[in-house]
Amino acid sequence: MWQSSPPGSIYDYIRVASFSIGPDGLIEQWSRRAAGLFGMASDEVVGKDPVEAFMPAELRPDAHRRVGEILDGKEWTGLVPFRIPGENSVRGLAEVYVMPSETGTGERAALCIVVDVRALRRIETDLAASQAIFGQSPFGFVLFGKDFAVVRANQRFATVFGGEADDHRGRTVEDYLPRPEADRLSATLRRVLETGEAVTDLQLVGTPPGAPGRRHWSMNLYRVHSGSGRPVGIAGLATDVTQRHIAAREAASARRNLALLNEASARIGNSLDLETTARELLDVAVPGFCDLASVDLYQGLLTGEEASPASWGRHHQESGTGSAELRRVAHASAVSDALPGVIPGARAGEGAPHGNTGPPALGSVHRYPFHSPCAVALRSGRVADVPGDERGFVHSTLAVPMVAHDVVVGLVQFSRTKGSEPFGERDRALATELAARAAVCIDNARLYRREHERALILQRSLLPPGDPEAAGLDIACRYLPGNTATEVGGDWFDVIELPGHRTALVVGDVMGRGLRAAVAMGELRTAVRTLALLDLEPAEVLSALDEVARGLGTPGGGERSDGFGAGGGAQWPSRAAQKSREADLSEVYLATCVYAVYDPVTRRCTFANAGHLPPVVAEPGEPAMLLDVPPGMPLGVGGEPFEEVEVELKEGSLLALYTDGLVESRDHPLDEGLDAFRSALAEPSQPLEDVCDHVLSSLDTRHGEDDIALLMARIQGLAPDAVGDWRLPRELRSVARARELARGQLTAWGLDDLVDTTELLVSELVTNALRYGEGEIRLRLLRDRTLVCEVWDAGLVQPRRRRARDTDEGGRGLQLVGLLSAAWGSRRTPRGKTVWFELALPDGEPAAELSVEQLLSMY
């Protein structure tokens, strides 16, 4: 079978040609390769002297002699320079092998074989360079055939995979790489061979024979062609990048750690709640740092014990029974839910709670055995390694104590499962840093919670105890303090009983938050109670309260001074004292307050407002409305008078006083909150407690952002038959008439046991009104939870109790009133004054008689 030389054969590279010389010494045959070598076609040289055709002139004499010897039958081999046609200055060098031959007629001829010496030298140089590059390369060099078997490999490649370079001929990629990697490389080789597109930096992972671990290689692949351009295989250059991979992994780990620390700074400690802070730590750590994690805090810290934090862990330091009690407050997992029981500390005697073979449940209280890694970490304050679980799922766990200000507050465990890298030294440092940051936040939260609880105790101690009661009013109230994430506010409310079965209703709010606001609220509430007992008008109460509030913002709480003493001499304070005074003056206490006085006899309520939200009234069958009470300026501003508004309320009406926390939040403007509040009072006839609950549940109060105070009262005026009201002329017989009217009214009420005492005291008050008062006299008896007697006149002089001398004939009436009544007093009215006394209703027991000492005290 005839077969032509394939393109790209060795002859193409070494440029071999042939021609023949006839008996006459002229060129007889001229091959195509000779034409290509010498650059002359056959019609240019056939029949011509070869010496004259392509040899330089200076060599022609000797060349003719050589040709003659060849035709005489001699063989000859030598180097012959030749001129390249068209290039006068360029000469070639050919190695010529001349073999004598004979023609068919027996004549002498010659066959010449010519090789281009330049091509041979170039091939020799290329081979030497190729061998140097291939053999001396520090990188693994391998040549794959078109069947993807190794055709040639250099010694560096053999050094990695064993044996000599020639031993690798015929091997495939499956002999060097695991199945997934081998399949990936085979697919890449096929793509390079088919498309001719080179592939750079192909990452491969494998384990060479005898190597301690996996190695990483970067491989560059390109298709190799013959001289004619025909693909003959794929060349591969492999570089060991294991160290680079390790360095890149460490750099990535460092970047990840820095990112985790940055995230921890942003996310941990946003809440002042201990459990929330623990969950924030785990949100950062899982899955960015570990697969599983849990947080245990000392039980003493969570219960708010006042003992030193160091004493929480003292139990397991001094005794050998185990750690102090801890509570599992947070747990996070990034693994499958199919493995619910696998969490840190699951091996008894190592990391598990004392006396338990499994992990503690979330919220459970437990102890760690004394010699367990977790207890050792808590005791020493250093990171400890916890052995993996028996099933091999968790293979690496760090028990990291949470240390804040050299005090251990708890323990966090970070775990990695099978398939993740075990923890290294860099990871231990990061775990310690994460735990420390969370510990500081937790300790700060503990300190804040302690102060918050103290402020809350102070705040609640200043609120009215139990359910307030008042004559002619059904009262319900709610107070909701902000959560632990917000500071204690200065909201307060109060219900104060006034003479004549009247009631003062107060709601206020000190601007600002914290313990100082709570203290200011307590001072203002005390001042309100004191002023209310003076029975001043609502506007007068707020005016006096404004002075008190302004006094709270001055040094020592006293009046503002100009720096001059009472004697008129200048008393210049020191510079330090001046700075302290300026700092104190910067603490300006402002508060809003609404003060209302309700009279159950007339069902009239008088309001005065100091910058507070308006009261809301819901009458039966009518929509709730805001009362138009002039707002006035907040307490502490000063300089502006307060106005009063008197409103008559219908029987069964609902009156609501409240603070802004009920109707205002960051997400809802005040107008929306007020409208929602009015809508929530659409059914005022329901039980008052239910109305309060409905208001709080239906309004979007965003409870926790601010304190909420709500005081609601349903109007229930005194029945007409519970009031006795008479006007008496200014004459002596009015005393007897007053006694007669009192006796008849008490008898009608079934209060016979109080007749004698009431007659005596009414006689005293009416007598005083005749003697010291002015104008018409008015007598009024009120029966509710107690009996109240009031005597009105137009005089402005207030009665004053005094001790009568032995020689005095009078002056003992008010002493008698004070001894026989439960309470007594006087107050100004728009047209004079009112003197009153109060008696407790009989409870079936005989009334106590005055002792001898009490009677003698009047003399």
Side-chain angles (χ1 to χ4, degrees):
M1 179 177 179
W2 294 93
Q3 182 177 358
S4 62
S5 176
S9 66
I10 188 64
Y11 300 106
D12 293 333
Y13 290 99
I14 62 176
R15 302 187 69 182
V16 178
S18 65
F19 62 92
S20 62
I21 301 175
D24 55 1
L26 302 178
I27 297 175
E28 187 177 61
Q29 291 180 334
W30 188 255
S31 69
R32 291 181 180 178
R33 289 185 179 272
L37 175 63
F38 294 104
M40 293 182 291
S42 61
D43 57 353
E44 297 180 58
V45 295
V46 173
K48 294 182 178 181
D49 186 344
V51 175
E52 299 294 334
F54 53 83
M55 291 191 67
E58 67 272 13
L59 299 178
R60 289 174 184 173
D62 185 62
H64 284 294
R65 182 178 59 81
R66 296 289 184 186
V67 171
E69 293 178 353
I70 292 171
L71 292 178
D72 289 341
K74 290 183 179 180
E75 291 187 1
W76 180 81
T77 301
L79 297 177
V80 179
F82 65 92
R83 175 176 50 83
I84 299 177
E87 300 181 14
N88 296 326
S89 62
V90 178
R91 291 184 178 184
L93 185 63
E95 184 175 340
V96 182
Y97 177 54
V98 182
M99 296 173 289
S101 62
E102 292 182 359
T103 64
T105 60
E107 293 181 295
R108 299 273 181 94
L111 176 64
C112 301
I113 305 297
V114 184
V115 178
D116 188 349
V117 174
R118 294 183 306 167
L120 287 177
R121 298 295 179 266
R122 187 166 57 248
I123 291 173
E124 289 175 355
T125 302
D126 290 346
L127 287 174
S130 175
Q131 182 61 33
I133 294 174
F134 197 83
Q136 300 174 21
S137 173
F139 310 112
F141 205 101
V142 60
L143 179 63
F144 296 96
K146 292 195 295 183
D147 59 353
F148 308 139
V150 176
V151 175
R152 187 178 179 186
N154 68 349
Q155 189 56 43
R156 176 59 183 169
F157 185 87
T159 301
V160 175
F161 290 99
E164 298 297 329
D166 292 339
D167 297 337
H168 293 273
R169 294 181 184 274
R171 293 186 181 180
T172 62
V173 293
E174 286 81 4
D175 297 322
Y176 304 105
L177 299 173
R179 172 66 66 178
E181 294 289 273
D183 292 343
R184 193 160 62 90
L185 178 56
S186 296
T188 305
L189 290 172
R190 185 174 296 105
R191 186 172 69 253
V192 172
L193 182 62
E194 293 174 353
T195 65
E197 295 179 359
V199 172
T200 59
D201 198 22
L202 175 65
Q203 297 292 318
L204 298 172
V205 181
T207 305
R214 296 188 302 175
R215 310 295 294 179
H216 296 260
W217 295 284
S218 172
M219 198 164 192
N220 298 325
L221 301 170
Y222 57 93
R223 190 170 67 182
V224 180
H225 305 83
S226 66
S228 62
R230 180 176 58 89
V232 296
I234 305 101
L237 182 66
T239 306
D240 191 329
V241 294
T242 304
Q243 293 302 320
R244 188 176 73 184
H245 181 80
I246 293 174
R249 185 175 59 189
E250 290 181 351
S253 176
R255 288 193 299 269
R256 181 202 64 188
N257 292 353
L258 289 175
L260 278 173
L261 289 177
N262 183 59
E263 184 181 5
S265 300
R267 298 181 61 181
I268 299 176
N270 292 322
S271 169
L272 290 172
D273 180 73
L274 302 179
E275 291 83 354
T276 302
T277 302
R279 288 192 296 269
E280 290 171 346
L281 168 61
L282 300 193
D283 289 341
V284 172
V286 179
F289 177 67
C290 61
D291 302 313
L292 300 162
S294 63
V295 176
D296 298 319
L297 297 180
Y298 277 121
Q299 180 70 354
L301 180 146
L302 295 169
T303 56
E305 294 180 6
E306 291 295 333
S308 169
S311 65
W312 297 329
R314 190 174 299 154
H315 171 78
H316 85 288
Q317 294 179 15
E318 297 176 349
S319 68
T321 58
S323 68
E325 288 186 341
L326 299 109
R327 186 192 303 173
R328 176 64 52 91
V329 296
H331 169 68
S333 172
V335 297
S336 172
D337 294 336
L339 299 166
V342 181
I343 63 173
R347 293 186 60 180
E350 293 179 351
H354 188 69
N356 193 356
T357 58
L362 188 64
S364 65
V365 178
H366 60 276
R367 301 176 186 268
Y368 287 107
F370 184 79
H371 295 291
S372 66
C374 293
V376 171
L378 288 168
R379 191 162 55 248
S380 64
R382 293 190 293 270
V383 181
D385 293 307
V386 179
D389 64 277
E390 297 175 354
R391 288 169 285 185
F393 182 71
V394 174
H395 67 84
S396 184
T397 297
L398 296 177
V400 187
M402 306 179 72
V403 184
H405 311 299
D406 297 327
V407 175
V408 178
V409 298
L411 182 79
V412 57
Q413 296 183 66
F414 303 106
S415 295
R416 288 181 179 173
T417 58
K418 186 177 180 181
S420 299
E421 294 185 4
F423 292 110
E425 287 302 318
R426 193 190 302 271
D427 295 323
R428 294 170 69 92
L430 177 61
T432 302
E433 179 66 21
L434 289 175
R437 294 193 180 197
V440 171
C441 295
I442 286 175
D443 193 52
N444 290 340
R446 175 187 68 84
L447 295 175
Y448 174 81
R449 185 177 66 178
R450 185 181 65 182
E451 295 303 316
H452 184 273
E453 289 176 349
R454 290 177 177 177
L456 195 59
I457 291 173
L458 171 63
Q459 188 182 48
R460 287 178 173 172
S461 68
L462 297 174
L463 296 175
D467 295 326
E469 295 182 354
L473 292 176
D474 181 14
I475 296 178
C477 52
R478 295 290 186 274
Y479 181 78
L480 301 178
N483 57 35
T484 55
T486 58
E487 293 188 86
V488 170
D491 294 14
W492 92 90
F493 69 91
D494 209 344
V495 178
I496 307 170
E497 293 188 59
L498 300 178
H501 287 315
R502 294 170 304 132
T503 304
L505 304 175
V506 189
V507 169
D509 184 4
V510 175
M511 299 181 187
R513 309 193 65 80
L515 188 59
R516 295 177 66 86
V519 171
M521 176 270 286
E523 294 185 9
L524 291 178
R525 177 181 178 273
T526 302
V528 169
R529 278 194 158 264
T530 302
L531 294 170
L533 294 178
L534 295 177
D535 213 353
L536 302 176
E537 295 297 321
E540 295 177 328
V541 170
L542 292 187
S543 295
L545 199 61
D546 178 62
E547 293 293 333
V548 173
R550 285 193 291 164
L552 294 177
T554 59
E559 294 294 330
R560 304 177 191 267
S561 65
D562 296 327
F564 293 91
Q571 298 176 351
W572 299 105
S574 66
R575 185 173 182 83
Q578 181 70 15
K579 288 185 176 181
S580 175
R581 180 177 183 274
E582 291 175 357
D584 288 339
L585 286 173
S586 66
E587 291 287 346
V588 178
Y589 287 93
L590 298 179
T592 62
C593 178
V594 60
Y595 185 89
V597 175
Y598 172 69
D599 187 343
V601 179
T602 61
R603 293 199 311 278
R604 300 186 71 83
C605 191
T606 305
F607 296 92
N609 191 357
H612 202 78
L613 295 173
V616 176
V617 172
E619 296 183 345
E622 300 290 338
M625 63 178 180
L626 300 176
L627 288 180
D628 186 13
V629 179
M633 298 298 291
L635 302 175
V637 174
E640 294 293 333
F642 296 98
E643 300 181 41
E644 293 181 359
V645 172
E646 189 176 60
V647 178
E648 183 175 349
L649 302 174
K650 294 182 179 180
E651 185 77 17
S653 297
L654 194 62
L655 173 64
L657 306 179
Y658 52 95
T659 57
D660 57 357
L662 181 69
V663 294
E664 188 176 22
S665 69
R666 290 177 295 180
D667 299 329
H668 298 282
L670 180 60
D671 290 342
E672 291 184 10
L674 290 173
D675 291 341
F677 184 29
R678 293 167 54 198
S679 299
L681 298 177
E683 298 292 337
S685 59
Q686 295 181 353
L688 201 54
E689 294 291 337
D690 295 343
V691 175
C692 283
D693 293 338
H694 175 68
V695 168
L696 295 178
S697 61
S698 60
L699 265 65
D700 185 10
T701 61
R702 295 297 177 97
H703 175 51
E705 292 182 0
D706 195 3
D707 295 354
I708 296 175
L710 175 62
L711 178 61
M712 305 189 74
R714 176 169 286 122
I715 305 303
Q716 297 175 348
L718 291 181
D721 58 359
V723 179
D725 194 351
W726 307 275
R727 297 182 182 274
L728 302 173
R730 191 172 185 78
E731 53 189 31
L732 290 178
R733 61 192 181 99
S734 292
V735 176
R737 178 60 179 164
R739 288 198 300 267
E740 179 183 354
L741 293 172
R743 182 188 313 111
Q745 186 65 68
L746 291 181
T747 301
W749 285 340
L751 301 178
D752 296 333
D753 293 340
L754 300 181
V755 169
D756 294 339
T757 303
T758 303
E759 278 192 44
L760 176 60
L761 300 185
V762 165
S763 177
E764 290 292 337
L765 295 187
V766 173
T767 300
N768 283 345
L770 289 173
R771 180 176 299 177
Y772 306 108
E774 298 176 7
E776 186 181 39
I777 299 173
R778 182 181 177 186
L779 173 64
R780 189 168 74 168
L781 294 178
L782 307 176
R783 182 190 59 142
D784 193 70
R785 292 172 298 159
T786 60
L787 176 66
V788 173
C789 176
E790 298 176 331
V791 175
W792 307 37
D793 70 79
L796 298 177
V797 179
Q798 298 289 324
R800 181 174 60 87
R801 182 176 178 180
R802 62 183 178 86
R803 180 177 296 277
R805 291 173 296 183
D806 295 343
T807 57
D808 290 343
E809 296 182 359
R812 298 179 179 85
L814 292 182
Q815 294 187 50
L816 186 63
V817 172
L819 288 174
L820 294 180
S821 65
W824 79 279
S826 66
R827 69 177 185 275
R828 289 181 300 167
T829 64
R831 296 181 178 84
K833 67 175 180 298
T834 299
V835 183
W836 58 271
F837 67 84
E838 184 176 352
L839 296 175
L841 298 182
D843 54 3
E845 298 293 332
E849 296 182 359
L850 294 178
S851 64
V852 176
E853 290 77 9
Q854 290 175 322
L855 292 173
L856 291 177
S857 66
M858 294 185 293
Y859 295 92

